[in-house]
Amino acid sequence: MAQSSTGNGIPEVKPPVRRIHPVLRVLLIILAMILGLFAAGALTLGLILTMAYPKLPDLDSITDYRPKIPLRVFSADGVLIGEFGEERRNLTHIKDIPAIMKKAVLAIEDDRFYEHGGVDYQGIVRATFANLTGGGGGASTITQQVARNFFLTSNEPTFLQKASRKFLYEIPLAWKIERNLTKDQILEVYMNQIYLGQRAYGFSSAAQIYFGKKLSELSIAEAAMLAGLPKAPSAYNPVVNPKRAHARQQYILQRMRALGYITEQQYNQAKDEVLNVKTDSSAFSIHAEYVAEMARQLVYAQYKDETYTRGLNVFTTVTKADQDAAYFALRRGVMDYERRHGYRGPEAYMDIPTGSKEEVESAIEVALADHPDSGELVAAVVLSATPKEVHAVLASGEEITISGAGLTFAANLLSDKAPPQRKVRPGAVIRVFQEDKNWSVTQMPQVESAFVSVNPDDGAIRSLVGGFDFNRNKFNHVTQAWRQPGSSFKPFIYSSSLEKGLSPSTVINDAPLTFTQTGGQVWQPKNYGNKYEGPITMRHALQKSINMVSIRILERVGVNYAQEYITRFGFDAAKNPPYLTLALGAGNVTPLQMASAYSVFANGGYKINPYLITKVTDGNGTVLSQAKPDKADDEANRVIDPRNAFVMDSMLRDVVRGGTGYKAMSLKRTDLAGKTGTTNDSMDAWFAGYQPKLVGIAWIGYDQPKSLGDRETGGGLALPIWISYMAKALKDQPMVSRTVPLGLIEANGDYYYSEYPPGGSVRDLGLGNSTLTPEEEKKRTEVKNELF
């Protein structure tokens, strides 16, 4: 130790020099450099933010949040039947989002959301380190995701580009959003805006698309499944990638338990819950595709492109019960016809690969993609086939066995003698359906059909099915198919005759008729089965749908008068030319026109206009338009005499009681009326009928008109569809009787206009006591070329 002497001789002791350990010196230097870098970075960031913040975009799109909301179509009882728009979304306010859904989202996306100021700095450091070390990861808060989704693109491929965007734009935007919106407002925007796959935007829409439920109906397990979608909607899609989606759902449930959002008991129950995910995200709980498309077209005509983004809600007149009844009645009627006319053979053939199982499954999946399911009718590829047993595989990968009665329909094409091009063999694509756990072979129908029902008091459409399968054929046969109505048109000719002095008791000669046109060609109309009754009353002639009687009636009233008269019911004169063939329904009508026309008989003589939409509202529930239908009790809408409507109703009731519509008596009601219709060569089959509060029209035929079969009639084809629908629609409905209107005389068991009393009306036609004028007699023998 160094010493020195002081003045008094005591040596002076100097303190030792303290030296910093080399390691500590290095650490201090590094720390100083880091602090310097942080200070420089902070100054740089502050400068950048000072420059960038004023240039940040306005937040109007968030503070005045108006997302693109699709057009939604509902039944009269509030069931969603259609949705149209690029983005499937249902705006839901934060107060209406269940707590469990919010907790599931926060658990996986941002559990500190209500604590930070828009940016989670701990998360940024953690994510930065992970990216630098190649691990990947992200630390965007919900607020940052809102900023990115609304204002920024997300196509920066490298970490440096992403980091640059995050620091220069995303973080400042997040701060700005936090300063202008409350936490609940930010979360509300996020949960409505985020994309969740299947064209679903927002959790409310996703709940409907993936589970067919409202948000409030979701279980914990379902909420956790949806919460896993924002990070990667495709990768964690439960429809496309069920295994990966399940793994992420389980992780989210663990997070919810760890954060105390759910109890141990709730966790155990949720993790084992089996979820029923909708594999067809476009499917609705009601088959009303034609109704939804009609509504879309009507709304688009008024609102144009706003139709798909404004969030319009369209409420229709159809009810779920009526629509279901009509849909299944039509499908059953068509398939009954198919079964009667034999199996045509497989839809296609494929070569099953001999490679690996994966190759076989892939090839079958590709083959079946061209044969989509149609309701209960599903496509399958035959793996092996014998006359007693067929093994096949569905698009889902499920292998099925068909045997016994399930093979009866295809038995002729399972035998060794079946032609190779139609034989059921390995590689054949066949159509099958399951009933009571047993599979059967069937086929997709080639024939088409239509059904519509309306309320005759105001024209509200209660049900509408425009074809067998909308996805296969979008042509709406209810509104677009102009077909010959056949004998179902006869009541309108009969109605016109009542105004010309005829009555239900007028006797008409049912005998063969021959008409010669001005060129020598001969027209000889015939009755069904070529049978003739001789003298018969109008009432009984309508019951039996006798052609000759209808022709004689039209001769009497005059074709020009009849053509004008039928326009009262809503028919187009131009599509129903003034020739004698009009008596046999040789013009053209649509099923919807027939529904409107028969409503006149049902409601006592008033013309109503069928309508589909009751009201249109915006997203806030404000009514934008409201239907104001014509009513049957408004005399301004009367088109025929109430006496005429009553008499025609009494005659059409007799058609049901003991005529061609007798099968309808299986409903055990006394207030049913209607008329069958079968056109020439059985190309169209109809039944038009009603109960005083409900009109129903059923039609069946081929799009390219051809015979339905020699023995096929409206009573055998269309009437069963009508009966099936009415059995459900009229269940528990009281019987309705009609009051005889003033001006009718009841005598000899029938009704007469008071101005045409018994003895004063036309008593007979075609019995040798002709009352035709010479000019009418001349016209009777002439038929225009157009008849042929």
Side-chain angles (χ1 to χ4, degrees):
M1 179 180 293
Q3 295 182 348
S4 64
S5 178
T6 63
N8 58 11
I10 300 173
E12 181 179 359
V13 180
K14 294 182 178 182
V17 178
R18 296 179 181 273
R19 296 186 178 183
I20 300 174
H21 193 282
V23 176
L24 181 59
R25 183 182 291 113
V26 173
L27 291 176
L28 289 173
I29 292 172
I30 293 173
L31 179 61
M33 291 175 66
I34 292 174
L35 290 174
L37 288 172
F38 267 102
L43 289 172
T44 303
L45 180 60
L47 179 62
I48 292 173
L49 294 181
T50 301
M51 297 174 63
Y53 199 87
K55 298 180 181 180
L56 293 176
D58 292 332
L59 302 182
D60 292 347
S61 59
I62 298 179
T63 55
D64 187 22
Y65 181 53
R66 295 182 181 180
K68 292 181 180 179
I69 307 294
L71 169 72
R72 287 193 174 88
V73 184
F74 297 88
S75 67
D77 40 356
V79 179
L80 182 66
I81 62 177
E83 193 173 51
F84 302 91
E86 293 181 6
E87 300 179 2
R88 302 166 74 176
R89 191 196 313 271
N90 186 14
L91 183 61
T92 307
H93 296 297
I94 193 69
K95 63 181 178 62
D96 298 319
I97 300 176
I100 197 63
M101 188 71 252
K102 288 185 280 190
K103 288 178 180 178
V105 170
L106 295 176
I108 192 62
E109 292 295 327
D110 191 356
D111 61 279
R112 297 183 62 248
F113 173 70
Y114 282 97
E115 300 170 16
H116 59 65
V119 180
D120 187 352
Y121 301 102
Q122 297 176 16
I124 290 176
V125 173
R126 183 172 60 251
T128 300
F129 179 78
N131 278 290
L132 288 172
T133 57
S140 293
T141 63
I142 283 177
T143 310
Q144 288 173 265
Q145 291 184 57
V146 170
R148 183 167 62 244
N149 289 335
F150 273 88
F151 303 107
L152 305 174
T153 61
S154 56
N155 56 358
E156 297 84 354
T158 68
F159 165 68
L160 288 177
Q161 288 175 312
K162 292 179 181 178
S164 174
R165 182 198 66 188
K166 187 180 292 287
F167 282 103
L168 292 180
Y169 297 104
E170 191 174 296
I171 290 176
L173 268 173
W175 288 339
K176 187 173 184 179
I177 291 170
E178 290 272 348
R179 287 181 57 188
N180 287 274
L181 280 78
T182 66
K183 286 288 188 180
D184 279 351
Q185 288 175 322
I186 295 170
L187 186 59
E188 177 179 306
V189 168
Y190 173 81
M191 297 192 74
N192 281 284
Q193 181 69 17
I194 195 72
Y195 179 63
L196 300 172
Q198 306 289 98
R199 289 179 36 235
Y201 287 80
F203 287 92
S204 181
S205 179
Q208 176 65 44
I209 289 168
Y210 288 106
F211 298 113
K213 293 183 176 182
K214 297 178 181 178
L215 265 180
S216 58
E217 299 171 341
L218 292 179
S219 67
I220 294 174
E222 290 166 336
M225 178 67 78
L226 295 184
L229 290 168
K231 183 177 181 180
S234 178
Y236 299 123
N237 186 322
V239 176
V240 180
N241 293 305
K243 291 183 180 179
R244 191 179 296 180
H246 177 74
R248 184 159 176 79
Q249 177 223 29
Q250 293 296 305
Y251 173 67
I252 294 172
L253 289 172
Q254 292 169 12
R255 287 279 299 157
M256 294 175 73
R257 178 186 59 177
L259 291 167
Y261 292 166
I262 58 176
T263 65
E264 186 71 23
Q265 182 180 358
Q266 287 174 318
Y267 167 76
N268 289 328
Q269 182 178 354
K271 73 181 181 67
D272 296 329
E273 182 179 329
V274 177
L275 303 186
N276 294 316
V277 179
K278 290 171 59 180
T279 55
D280 182 1
S281 65
S282 64
F284 297 92
S285 62
I286 175 174
H287 283 284
E289 296 87 349
Y290 290 97
V291 173
E293 174 59 16
M294 278 182 64
R296 182 198 69 79
Q297 293 177 14
L298 291 169
V299 173
Y300 184 81
Q302 181 173 353
Y303 296 97
K304 303 303 180 185
D305 290 340
E306 276 192 338
T307 299
Y308 309 119
T309 60
R310 190 174 170 181
L312 300 177
N313 295 310
V314 181
F315 294 89
T316 65
T317 55
V318 303
T319 65
K320 184 180 188 308
D322 278 272
Q323 187 64 26
D324 283 345
Y327 174 81
F328 291 112
L330 182 146
R331 301 264 299 190
R332 188 179 303 112
V334 169
M335 294 312 295
D336 285 346
Y337 171 82
E338 286 293 318
R339 279 189 286 273
R340 286 201 300 273
H341 289 267
Y343 187 52
R344 293 184 296 273
E347 297 177 19
Y349 294 95
M350 67 166 288
D351 294 323
I352 301 177
T354 56
S356 66
K357 181 180 179 182
E358 289 73 19
E359 289 177 323
V360 173
E361 290 176 348
S362 177
I364 289 175
E365 183 179 349
V366 170
L368 291 179
D370 294 329
H371 302 270
D373 295 346
S374 174
E376 72 284 3
L377 309 182
V378 298
V381 171
V382 174
L383 300 177
S384 65
T386 70
K388 292 187 177 181
E389 192 170 79
V390 170
H391 292 280
V393 60
L394 309 180
S396 63
E398 178 188 357
E399 292 191 14
I400 63 172
T401 298
I402 313 168
S403 60
L407 295 176
T408 302
F409 185 54
N412 62 317
L413 295 181
L414 279 165
S415 71
D416 294 334
K417 297 180 180 180
Q421 69 274 19
R422 295 175 58 209
K423 187 175 182 179
V424 178
R425 53 180 170 80
V429 178
I430 63 173
R431 193 66 57 163
V432 297
F433 74 97
Q434 188 178 30
E435 187 174 20
D436 297 329
K437 298 183 178 181
N438 297 316
W439 288 94
S440 298
V441 177
T442 185
Q443 64 188 2
M444 287 296 292
Q446 293 179 344
V447 74
E448 271 294 354
S449 186
F451 185 87
V452 61
S453 63
V454 303
N455 180 342
D457 289 334
D458 64 358
I461 295 174
R462 292 266 298 270
S463 68
L464 186 151
V465 186
F468 185 82
D469 184 344
F470 178 81
N471 293 318
R472 190 179 63 150
N473 187 352
K474 293 178 172 55
F475 186 79
N476 189 337
H477 297 83
V478 169
T479 60
Q480 297 176 287
W482 292 91
R483 308 292 295 217
Q484 290 190 353
S487 297
S488 62
F489 198 77
K490 289 175 181 175
F492 308 104
I493 304 300
Y494 275 62
S495 175
S496 70
S497 75
L498 298 180
E499 302 303 315
K500 292 289 187 176
L502 277 69
S503 74
S505 62
T506 297
V507 177
I508 300 174
N509 190 20
D510 174 26
L513 289 168
T514 299
F515 300 90
T516 304
Q517 77 166 54
T518 309
Q521 284 183 294
V522 176
W523 177 49
Q524 290 182 311
K526 294 180 174 59
N527 285 336
Y528 180 76
N530 206 24
K531 296 179 180 179
Y532 302 89
E533 298 279 341
I536 188 172
T537 64
M538 273 178 52
R539 181 178 292 277
H540 288 129
L542 187 62
Q543 271 186 301
K544 297 184 177 183
S545 195
I546 296 175
N547 291 340
M548 297 303 108
V549 171
S550 295
I551 293 171
R552 289 188 186 275
I553 291 173
L554 182 55
E555 277 190 296
R556 172 68 186 188
V557 302
V559 291
N560 291 313
Y561 174 79
Q563 184 193 39
E564 181 281 326
Y565 186 84
I566 64 170
T567 62
R568 304 183 188 188
F569 297 87
F571 296 118
D572 295 348
K575 289 187 178 295
N576 294 276
Y579 307 127
L580 288 179
T581 50
L582 188 65
L584 307 182
N588 285 285
V589 302
T590 68
L592 190 61
Q593 282 186 333
M594 291 290 278
S596 176
Y598 269 81
S599 292
V600 177
F601 295 141
N603 64 30
Y606 300 92
K607 175 69 172 65
I608 51 90
N609 296 306
Y611 71 101
L612 183 67
I613 297 175
T614 55
K615 66 179 179 179
V616 177
T617 69
D618 63 17
N620 297 318
T622 303
V623 176
L624 303 178
S625 62
Q626 184 98 34
K628 296 179 180 178
D630 293 331
K631 298 293 184 69
D633 56 358
D634 184 349
E635 286 301 316
N637 299 323
R638 178 172 291 286
V639 291
I640 64 172
D641 192 307
R643 299 174 299 174
N644 189 308
F646 180 87
V647 172
M648 287 308 306
D649 175 74
S650 75
M651 295 172 73
L652 289 169
R653 290 192 185 205
D654 277 356
V655 172
V656 170
R657 290 191 188 102
T660 57
Y662 73 92
K663 289 181 181 178
M665 289 303 293
S666 62
L667 296 173
K668 295 180 171 54
R669 298 186 67 97
T670 59
D671 55 355
L672 302 178
K675 182 71 184 73
T676 55
T678 310
T679 62
N680 204 24
D681 295 326
S682 298
M683 291 187 182
D684 297 89
W686 295 78
F687 187 77
Y690 61 87
Q691 184 259 4
K693 298 300 179 182
L694 185 63
V695 174
I697 307 295
W699 165 86
I700 190 168
Y702 287 97
D703 279 340
Q704 296 299 320
K706 67 176 184 177
S707 177
L708 291 162
D710 290 340
R711 306 183 70 83
E712 298 289 4
T713 65
L717 282 174
L719 180 54
I721 296 173
W722 188 89
I723 292 172
S724 179
Y725 167 78
M726 287 291 182
K728 293 181 174 61
L730 295 179
K731 186 178 180 181
D732 300 326
Q733 295 299 309
M735 300 286 184
V736 178
S737 58
R738 301 183 74 154
T739 303
V740 180
L742 295 175
L744 274 183
I745 298 172
E746 187 173 2
N748 305 320
D750 223 322
Y751 299 99
Y752 302 81
Y753 280 18
S754 58
E755 59 267 39
Y756 300 120
S761 61
V762 178
R763 288 178 293 179
D764 62 73
L765 290 176
L767 296 180
N769 301 314
S770 175
T771 57
L772 298 180
T773 66
E775 182 65 24
E776 288 173 327
E777 287 283 6
K778 180 181 178 182
K779 286 183 180 180
R780 179 189 183 284
T781 62
E782 295 181 354
V783 182
K784 300 290 186 181
N785 287 325
E786 287 83 353
L787 285 177
F788 301 89

